[in-house]
Amino acid sequence: MVHCSCALFRKYGNFIDNLRLFAKGGSGGMGYPRLGGEGGKGGDVWVVAHKKMTLKQLKDKYPQKRFVAGEGANSQVSALQGSKGKDCEIPVPVGISVTDENGKIIGELNKEEDRILIAEGGIGGKFLTNFLPLKGQKRIIHLDLKLIADVGLVGFPNAGKSSLLSQISHAKPAIADYAFTTLKPELGKIMYNDFKQISVADLPGLIEGAHMNRGMGHKFLKHIERTRQLLFVVDISGFQLSSQTQYRTAFETIILLTKELELYNEELQKKPALLAVNKMDLPDAQNKFHELMNQLQNPKDFLHLVEKQMIPERNMEFQHIIPISAITGEGIEELKNCIRKSLDEHANQENDAHFKKQLLNLRVSNT
C-alpha cells in the first residue's frame, strides 16, 4: 500500500501551454565583385530545449515575441570571405512541439539541449547572385506543450473536479455551484511519502458538442491529449447544464464523455483511464452507485437510454472505479493510491515495449 502525505501544491499562475512567435534569419553580407569576395551567410534562428524554462518565462522575457538573427558580414579587402551572422537561440521547455502557421509539424524537443532550425539565414553575395546578398527566411511558428500533466480530470461542468483537485493536491481552484468555474487548466501535485510526485490538471469543463468546438471545445480536448492518463469524474446524481438542456444520469454522462473524446480523436480512448464517482455523500448515493456498476458491467443492456448518434464505437475500459466524496474526503486516499499504481503499471509497460524494440533492432542490425 502506498501512503500519501499532505500534498504540496505550487500554483501555476497565468498558465501558458502554447505561444506564437515571429522568427527571421539574418540577411547575408554584400559580396566584393572586383576581387570576387563573398559575403557572410546570415545567422540562423533555433529553438533549444532547456529543463528549467517555461513558456510563461519565455513570454515574460521576450514580450514582443520577435526573434531575428544577425546579418552576415560584408566582404572587404581585408577579409574577402565575410563572417557568418550571429545565430539566435530561443530557449523553450522540454516537451515542446513546433509547428508552422499552417499547422505542419516542424519538429519536437523531447530532451534537454534538443534543437530545431526554424528560420535559416540568407546566403551572402557571391558570383551566382551577382554578389548581392539574399534575405533571411521569415517564419511564424507555434510552440505547443505536448504534456502538461500526468493525469487529466475529465468531466462535465460541476462534476466536482475542482473540489477533487483541492482534496488531492491542496490546490485552491475556484469552486462554486454554477457550471463553469474552471476556464484555464489548474495544475496541482500529489506528493507521496517516498517523494514521488504526480501532476494533476483540472481542465475546463467539457460539454456535449465539444468536438464541434462548443464551450471550451477544442481547447479542452487539446489539453486532454497532453496528459498521460485520464481520470473521469462524474456526479453520482447525474448532470444537467441548464434548465433548457436534457438531464443525464451518471451512466449517460460517461457514455457522452466517451463519445466526445472519440469524435475529436479516437486515440484518446487508448489512454489509461480511471473513474471517480463523486458526491457519494448525497442521499441514496449508494443505491445509485450499485446501479451504475451494473450498467458499466453490462453496458449493451443500457445503451438504449442514449441517443443512437451519441453511442461510442467502443466503451472506455476503466482500470479502477472509485466511489469518492470530494467534500467529506471519502475514498480520496484510495484514489491517490490507484492513480499511482496505474501510472507505475503504464510506465513499466512502456519500458518493456521500449526494451523489446531495442532488442529487435539489435538483432536486425546483427543479421
Side-chain angles (χ1 to χ4, degrees):
M1 179 71 71
V2 180
H3 295 286
C4 304
S5 65
C6 282
L8 299 180
F9 172 75
R10 178 162 68 99
K11 180 105 173 160
Y12 292 68
N14 299 321
F15 176 77
I16 295 175
D17 66 344
N18 62 84
L19 207 57
R20 181 176 181 266
L21 308 175
F22 171 80
K24 180 179 180 296
S27 298
M30 289 289 295
Y32 202 121
R34 190 159 59 86
L35 299 177
E38 296 185 357
K41 181 182 179 295
D44 304 317
V45 183
W46 300 78
V47 286
V48 184
H50 294 272
K51 263 187 181 175
K52 295 185 178 180
M53 194 67 187
T54 67
L55 290 181
K56 185 177 186 305
Q57 288 173 336
L58 177 62
K59 183 182 178 184
D60 290 345
K61 190 173 181 180
Y62 305 99
Q64 300 299 320
K65 296 179 288 182
R66 290 177 61 88
F67 298 87
V68 181
E71 295 183 352
N74 295 334
S75 174
Q76 49 191 333
V77 174
S78 58
L80 289 177
Q81 177 60 60
S83 58
K84 184 179 183 294
K86 186 177 180 180
D87 287 350
C88 174
E89 293 190 354
I90 307 173
V92 300
V94 174
I96 283 287
S97 175
V98 184
T99 57
D100 65 15
E101 190 75 320
N102 299 316
K104 182 181 178 183
I105 295 178
I106 301 170
E108 295 181 346
L109 302 162
N110 297 314
K111 60 181 186 296
E112 194 167 19
E113 298 302 326
D114 275 1
R115 56 175 50 226
I116 297 172
L117 176 65
I118 58 168
E120 196 169 357
I123 62 173
K126 57 176 70 177
F127 179 76
L128 290 175
T129 65
N130 202 25
F131 296 98
L132 297 173
L134 299 185
K135 292 182 178 180
Q137 181 183 14
K138 290 182 182 178
R139 211 170 196 185
I140 289 175
I141 64 159
H142 294 263
L143 305 177
D144 286 285
L145 269 176
K146 293 195 300 172
L147 183 69
I148 63 172
D150 296 311
V151 180
L153 305 184
V154 179
F156 286 137
N158 227 23
K161 301 190 304 301
S162 296
S163 299
L164 176 59
L165 183 67
S166 67
Q167 273 278 5
I168 62 178
S169 71
H170 286 194
K172 295 291 181 281
I175 299 170
D177 289 331
Y178 51 87
F180 292 100
T181 52
T182 304
L183 299 178
K184 289 183 179 179
E186 186 91 32
L187 302 189
K189 285 192 177 182
I190 308 171
M191 285 189 67
Y192 296 84
N193 284 338
D194 60 355
F195 304 108
K196 169 79 172 180
Q197 296 184 24
I198 292 176
S199 55
V200 183
D202 175 19
L203 305 170
L206 192 62
I207 66 169
E208 291 182 47
H211 69 281
M212 295 183 291
N213 214 16
R214 290 179 186 160
M216 299 301 289
H218 289 170
K219 200 163 189 178
F220 168 90
L221 292 161
K222 183 181 72 172
H223 291 319
I224 282 293
E225 287 181 303
R226 298 171 184 171
T227 58
R228 297 186 194 279
Q229 176 175 285
L230 308 181
L231 174 57
F232 279 54
V233 183
V234 300
D235 185 335
I236 186 59
S237 60
F239 170 70
Q240 188 174 19
L241 183 63
S242 70
S243 58
Q244 283 78 42
T245 58
Q246 186 175 345
Y247 165 79
R248 301 293 189 180
T249 65
F251 174 71
E252 291 170 8
T253 299
I254 294 167
I255 296 298
L256 293 173
L257 286 170
T258 303
K259 185 64 175 181
E260 288 298 336
L261 298 186
E262 178 184 275
L263 290 171
Y264 177 72
N265 182 355
E266 59 188 25
E267 290 296 310
L268 292 175
Q269 291 177 282
K270 297 178 182 178
K271 284 182 180 286
L274 286 75
L275 171 63
V277 183
N278 195 17
K279 305 189 182 181
M280 290 299 295
D281 54 293
L282 295 176
D284 203 32
Q286 286 295 336
N287 290 335
K288 289 180 179 177
F289 180 71
H290 291 313
E291 181 184 354
L292 174 62
M293 290 300 293
N294 181 43
Q295 291 170 325
L296 291 174
Q297 287 165 4
N298 308 282
K300 291 182 179 178
D301 296 340
F302 299 94
L303 289 178
H304 65 275
L305 300 172
V306 185
E307 298 93 322
K308 189 174 181 181
Q309 68 270 21
M310 292 309 296
I311 298 174
E313 293 292 325
R314 60 188 289 262
N315 293 315
M316 292 296 299
E317 295 182 8
F318 298 109
Q319 296 181 343
H320 301 278
I321 300 175
I322 311 99
I324 66 165
S325 169
I327 300 299
T328 67
E330 174 191 345
I332 296 299
E333 288 301 314
E334 182 185 356
L335 176 61
K336 291 177 180 177
N337 295 333
C338 288
I339 289 172
R340 168 117 187 226
K341 183 179 178 183
S342 178
L343 281 170
D344 286 347
E345 287 174 352
H346 186 61
N348 290 336
Q349 290 172 2
E350 285 186 333
N351 290 337
D352 288 345
H354 180 67
F355 176 74
K356 288 177 182 177
K357 185 177 180 180
Q358 283 185 319
L359 192 62
L360 180 62
N361 289 339
L362 185 63
R363 287 174 178 168
V364 170
S365 62
N366 287 338
T367 54

